[in-house]
Structures are given as structure tokens and as C-alpha cells.
Amino acid sequence: MNDVTAQPRPPEGRQPGANGNSADPMLNALVQDERRESPLTYYLQVLLRRRWFIVATVLLSIALAAYINATTVRLYRSTGTIEIAREAARVIDADDGSAKPAFYSQEFYQTQYGLLKSRALAEMVVRKLNLANNPTFMYGYSGREPGEQPRVLGAEQRKNLERAAAGMLMANLTIEPTRSSSLVSISFDSPDPQLSARIVNTLSESFIEQNLARRFAASSYARKYLEDRIAQTRARLEESERKIVDYASDQRIITVDTPQQKEGGGTAAAPSLVGIELGALSSALTTAKADRVAAEARYNEARQSGPLAASEGLTDNTITALRGQRAELMGEYSKLLARFEPEYPAAVALKRQIDEIDRQLRTQGGNVLASLRSNYEAAAAREAQLQAQVDGLKDGVIDLRRRSIQYNIYQRDADTNRSLYDALLQRYKEIGVAGGVGTNNVSIVDSAMPSYGPIKPRTTMNLLLATMLGLFLGAALAFLVEQLDQSIMAPDDLEWKLGIPLLGSIPRLPETENLLEALEDRRTPLAESYLSLFTALRFTTSHGAPRVIFMTSSRAAEGKSTSSVALARNFAQLGKKVLLIDADMRDPSIHHMLKLTNSGGLTNVLAGADDLQRFIQKGPHEKMAVMTAGPIPPNPAELLAGPNLPLAFETLLKSFDHIVIDGPPVLGLADAPLIANYAEATVFVIASKQTRTKVVRVSLRRLADVNARIVGAVLTKFDAKTSGYSYAYSYEYGDRRGRQSKSLARRILRG
């Protein structure tokens, strides 16, 4: 049996507040842990509870997709493939004058793709296939019938119609290059599969024609342009060469050799005799200066740092040998000084040898310095001699250069004209040969074929997408409605949303079953649930079940009267003397449920009647007594506020073990707070899916304001199957067939 155990009654000062938060931190922690343990389960419960939102959304999406499929014009796609090579296959290595892309240039292919989508090519296809007068092409995309057209169109009207047809062609044309290749797929969508294939094939052929036309036009223009340029350049070349010859004769400019070919084209003027001699002397002078600078540097170095420290002194063999001898003698001398005084004869002899070697080193250093000075003076003298010779030739060279300025101008002009003439002539020959070959870099790989099936609409895909979209939107709508729904739906909502302990969950009683009969059979779900509620109440106080139990709810028709009757029966069945009081003096119902009279009751007791036993009637159980509400008073709140209510409880508790009070609703009335103030325990009854959280919180706040001792809440009219919870608050355990047989027997006997 899936039972629900009640939470212990909190001590004084820790009652659940009106804001809906539990006064027990441990309870809040347990509720939060329960929510965190299975978020997926919670989501599945929400989807199951709101499944009709999802089903409706999916059906609406499928209907919309079906409508779109039915109203969308069917389009057929044909695809052809062409190859656009970077360069045409060359029969000869010659250029035709058209622009050439780089070997891996993406700009070339982007240009070709743009040409395939160009308006000029589209208009060419429109004119070839007469698409402007094709009703299927012009009106098939919209699905409407063509209107009446004039028989004769003017030139401007025909041109506008062709432009409109070209725009439609460009809008339904797809150019898709194949990655890492020179292949390009051309696709076209139209209502007619045959027309789609013809348009693709015509477009491919027109693109090839257009490409060849551009190449031929470029070659023709280049040849005409080069012919004019060659004639002009030839005349300028002859004139510049004539000027060179005349000027050289007048100025007596004589060169040794013929002009030399310069790097990069053109000719260099031949050198003169004076220029050659001056160049040789200048080169020798430069070398002499370098030698003099090097000799001077070595001499200054030896003079400043000493000949022995200079590089020549360090490389001199004599100095090197003397330094080695001196080092050996210094080593022996140091050993003697370590043992003897400097006046020791052997030490004195070694000192004399060392001094002699030092004298020889100074002498050899002087020789090295003198040699460096001699080399420096010789280098300086040679430099001065060459400088004098160069100065002597400068005047002649300056005069020659002055006369050669104009000569060089004429020479450069002639070189430029000759280079330009040769380049133009070579280019003209290449273009003439390449233009005659007429190669093309575009070829058709696969021609387009008519399609057997439409590409639009995609019926199956649209329905599948609509189903998925409907599921997504339905789930989103379900979660939105779940967040907006503030009603209490399941037992755990009491603790999660309100923070009050759960005493029990009561299943919904079918309308065809009788309450008393259902309670009579203890194995029915209703009887089991109320027995669980009774068990929970036994642990709410230290002395067991409270003696005065007040049953109330936020509004009417939430099941408090049914719960009061069932709870009183449970007390009686356990041998406890129990009194059931109908305290709802505005709308009493206990006497209807138990088929009792209501001529006198609680109203008379509160009005001051002395004999209470006169208003107590026998209940459906021998241990159970009932006090009905009695006549409806004009103002029940005044009777409840009087002194007779606590006196009546005190008197009745002497005769009964427990008192169960079926109270009025809390909202809008002052009756329930007055009764709850005198009751030992208050049980709050909440109807599943009927009572909002805010309403319950307001009711709990009103009870908390009068210090009502709320021991917990009962969830009534709960249907676990329709609530979408994975766990089932079900009390159906045991021989179900036996219960069904007994119920059938009772109906037969009643029938």
C-alpha cells in the first residue's frame, strides 16, 4: 500500500506562516532535495499532465503543413554540369589578348559565377526560348491563370516583358560550384520539368557562346590597337637613331667598342678612351687609399700601445721566442725566491738573464715600429702620386661628359623606342596566331535532364518538420501553462508550494458510488486513504490523536464534510467515542449525508440551551454521535464569538473521547477563525486542481493570525492517473477482483 505518512506537529511558535513557507527547515530541505533528485521525472509529469496541449499543437501544425503542401506550386528542378578551366587548352604557347587569372585565383571563378548569373546572359536565354511569351514560365510560379494579353506589343513593352522574364529566370537559377574542382552545377526550378531542362541546357550553350564572343572581340581589338601603335613607334625609332648619328659626328664623340645591351632592355653607351683611363686610375687610387689607411692604422696602433702589444709584435717570431725564454726564467726565479733571498747567487744570475731578455725585446720592438712607419710612408707616397694623375684627367673627362649629355639623351630615346617596337611587334604576332586557333575554356560535362519528381513542396519533410515543431511548441506551451497554473495538483505541491505537512491524499470518489458504502469496505481506496489520515493524526501530538479536530478549507465543496464523516467513523471503528459536529451554520450538509434531522443542533447550543444531549443524534456507527448545525441563525459569527462555544467543548469532552468539527470555509467568513482558536488541532482540506495556491495562503494567514494550531493538510479529489505523476498515490492493493465482486453484489441487492 502506497501510504502517505504525516509530518509531526510543529511546536508552538513554529506554525506554518501565511506566506506558504514551512516553519521546519528540515522539511524545506527534504522538499528541495526531492525536487533536485529527479528533474527529468518532473518534466515528464508536466508533459503528461498537459498532453492535450501538445496533441492539439501537433495536430494544428500538421494541418498547417498539409495546407501549405496543398496550396504550394509544384516546382521541378533540372541540373546540368559544366567545366570552367582556369585556362583553355593551348595548341600553341601564345596569348590571345584576353585577361588571364592567376593559377590559383579565386577571383577568376567568382567572376565566372557572376557571369553565369548576369542579366545579359539571362536575357539571351529568354530571347532564344521566347520565355516572355511562355504562359507556364510567366504565370506558373504564382499558380494563377494569365490574363488577356494584347496581340501586338510595342518595342518598349516587349523589352519590359523580357526584363521581367529575365528577372524570374535569375530568381529561380542556382549556381553551385563543386568544391576543390573546376566543375559547376547549374540548376533551374520551374513548374514544367521539360522547360527546366531546356533552360539549363540553353544557358550552358549561351554561356559558351558569350565566352567565345568575348575572346574574339578582345583579340580583334588588340590587333587593331597594336597595328596603330607599331606604326607610330617605328617612325619615332627611325628619327631617334638619325639624331644620334648626326650629333656624334658634330661633337667628335668616339667610342672604343659598339654599344652594349643593358640588363632589362635597351643599350648602354660605349665608353670613351679618357673614361677608360680615368676609371683605371680611380680604381688604383681607391686601392692605394685603402692600403695607406691600413698602414697608418697599424702604425698608430703600435705607437700608442707599444710595439710589443701591437698585432705585428704579437706575431713576430723573434719576440715570441724571447717571451718564451723570459717566461721560463721567471718561473725558475719565482721558485728560488720562494726558498731564498733575492741576493742568493743563483737568483741574481737569473735576474741578469731576465734583464737581458727585456733589453732584447725593447730593441726588437723598436725594429717592428720602424718597419710599420716605413710601410705607412710608402703607401702615402703612392696615394699622392695616383691622386695627381687622376686630377690631371678630370678636366678632359668633364669636357667629354658635357658634350655627351645630349648624346645620351638621344641614345636613351632610341633605346626606349627600340624596346617598345620589339615588344609590340612580338605581341602582335602572338595575338594573331592565338586568335586564329579559337580555343575555349568552358565545356559542357552533363546536359540537364527532366526531373521525375517535384523538389517543392517536400510533403514528407514538411509534415515531419511540422510534427517536430508542433511537439516543441506544444511542450513549450505545456511548461508555460504549468508555470501559470497556481492550483494544487498533487500531494507534494502542499509542501513545495505551501510549506505545510501532508497528512494524507484522498482519491476522487466516483459519482456512482455511495460515500458510506465506500467507507464500509475498508479495502477500498477511499477507506484506506482516510485510515492513513487517521493514522497520521495519531502522531501529531504527544498524547496521540487530538481530542478536538477542526476540519476547514478555503472555499466550499472541497471535501471537508466528507473528510469529517470519514474521520469520525475511523475513530468509532477503533472503539473511541466520537462526536461529529456540523459547525457550518450557513450551509450545513452533514444531516443530508447521514440522512438525519436538523431541527436542533449547534445553533441551539450556542444560543444557550442547557441540555446538550437533546441535540446529539446517533450516527452510522454505535460509537459515533452527530450534532447537526440546527436552524440557520441570522448571524452565526455572533454565536461563535460568544462564551458558549468553549463551554460546550468542555462539557462534550467529558462524554466523548474525540470531537470532529466540520467547519465553514475560511475566506469571506469570520466563523472558521473563531472555531479554530478553540480547537486543539486544525486540519486544512484542499481539493486537487480546484484550489489556487494564493487562496490557500490567504486562508492559512487568517488562521495563523488567530493562533490556530494547524497540524497539516489533506488533499482531496486527487486522481493520480490524470495528474501525470510517475509515482501513484494509490491505495488499491489486494484482491481487486474480490472488491469488484462485492460492489457488484451490493448494486444487485440495491437494484
Side-chain angles (χ1 to χ4, degrees), residues 197-262:
R198 288 201 306 271
I199 290 177
V200 172
N201 294 330
T202 305
L203 183 73
S204 302
E205 296 170 358
S206 301
F207 180 67
I208 294 176
E209 294 176 7
Q210 193 182 65
N211 186 56
L212 288 174
R214 283 196 306 272
R215 285 177 175 268
F216 181 77
S219 177
S220 300
Y221 176 79
R223 286 197 301 270
K224 181 65 173 63
Y225 174 77
L226 288 177
E227 288 174 357
D228 297 338
R229 293 290 295 170
I230 287 173
Q232 298 173 7
T233 305
R234 185 189 304 112
R236 288 199 299 269
L237 176 60
E238 293 174 355
E239 180 66 22
S240 59
E241 289 180 343
R242 189 179 299 110
K243 288 181 179 180
I244 291 175
V245 175
D246 294 342
Y247 186 79
S249 299
D250 293 341
Q251 298 296 326
R252 306 295 297 173
I253 298 176
I254 302 173
T255 57
V256 177
D257 297 321
T258 58
Q260 303 293 325
Q261 189 71 23
K262 294 191 296 184

Side-chain angles (χ1 to χ4, degrees), residues 316-611:
D316 187 81
N317 294 332
T318 303
I319 295 175
T320 302
L322 291 174
R323 284 177 173 171
Q325 295 177 8
R326 187 178 184 283
E328 292 178 359
L329 294 175
M330 283 298 296
E332 295 178 1
Y333 184 69
S334 298
K335 292 180 181 179
L336 289 177
L337 290 181
R339 299 174 57 189
F340 304 101
E341 296 293 332
E343 291 80 8
Y344 185 67
V348 173
L350 288 175
K351 186 67 173 64
R352 290 198 193 98
Q353 294 179 14
I354 292 172
D355 294 340
E356 178 60 23
I357 290 175
D358 290 340
R359 184 188 64 79
Q360 294 178 9
L361 287 172
R362 287 193 296 273
T363 301
Q364 186 63 26
N367 296 336
V368 170
L369 184 61
S371 175
L372 291 174
R373 181 176 181 181
S374 299
N375 293 337
Y376 164 64
E377 292 175 351
R382 176 171 175 76
E383 179 187 0
Q385 181 183 3
L386 291 174
Q387 185 66 48
Q389 294 178 2
V390 169
D391 293 340
L393 291 175
K394 282 183 178 180
D395 294 338
V397 172
I398 291 173
D399 179 64
L400 178 62
R401 288 183 176 178
R402 187 182 302 112
R403 289 183 287 113
S404 298
I405 292 175
Q406 189 62 37
Y407 178 83
N408 293 333
I409 293 174
Y410 291 148
Q411 184 66 52
R412 284 193 298 271
D413 190 18
D415 293 341
T416 302
N417 292 331
R418 186 178 294 105
S419 300
L420 181 59
Y421 178 76
D422 293 340
L424 291 174
L425 187 61
Q426 180 65 26
R427 181 65 172 163
Y428 180 77
K429 294 178 181 179
E430 292 176 354
I431 291 178
V433 175
V437 175
T439 57
N440 184 31
N441 66 322
V442 181
S443 60
I444 297 177
V445 178
D446 291 325
S447 299
M449 301 294 292
S451 176
Y452 294 102
I455 189 174
K456 293 180 181 179
R458 298 181 178 179
T459 305
T460 304
M461 181 61 69
N462 290 344
L463 292 177
L464 181 60
L465 292 177
T467 303
M468 296 177 62
L469 181 61
L471 288 173
F472 176 77
L473 293 179
L477 181 61
F479 283 107
L480 177 62
V481 173
E482 181 71 18
Q483 293 298 322
L484 296 178
D485 188 2
Q486 295 296 319
S487 61
I488 305 298
M489 303 184 64
D492 60 347
D493 288 345
L494 293 175
E495 299 174 347
W496 178 45
K497 295 181 179 180
L498 301 175
I500 60 177
L502 174 67
L503 297 178
S505 59
I506 310 302
R508 178 183 293 274
L509 181 67
E511 296 180 358
T512 58
E513 293 190 15
N514 183 268
L515 172 63
L516 298 179
E517 292 180 357
L519 293 176
E520 188 67 26
D521 187 358
R522 296 191 178 185
R523 291 189 299 176
T524 61
L526 187 68
E528 291 284 354
S529 63
Y530 278 117
L531 182 59
S532 176
L533 170 62
F534 171 73
T535 305
L537 286 174
R538 295 177 61 185
F539 296 96
T540 55
T541 64
S542 59
H543 59 272
R547 299 196 65 190
V548 180
I549 302 175
F550 176 53
M551 307 291 289
T552 185
S553 61
S554 298
R555 295 175 178 176
E558 294 197 48
K560 53 182 176 53
S561 298
T562 302
S563 300
S564 300
V565 173
L567 187 60
R569 284 181 60 90
N570 287 333
F571 277 112
Q573 288 173 354
L574 291 180
K576 301 289 185 178
K577 294 185 64 176
V578 59
L579 175 64
L580 174 63
I581 300 177
D582 188 354
D584 190 355
M585 294 179 289
R586 300 176 187 268
D587 186 17
S589 60
I590 295 296
H591 64 283
H592 292 296
M593 297 175 61
L594 301 181
K595 295 181 174 54
L596 301 175
T597 61
N598 192 29
S599 58
L602 181 62
T603 303
N604 304 92
V605 174
L606 297 179
D610 296 331
D611 187 8

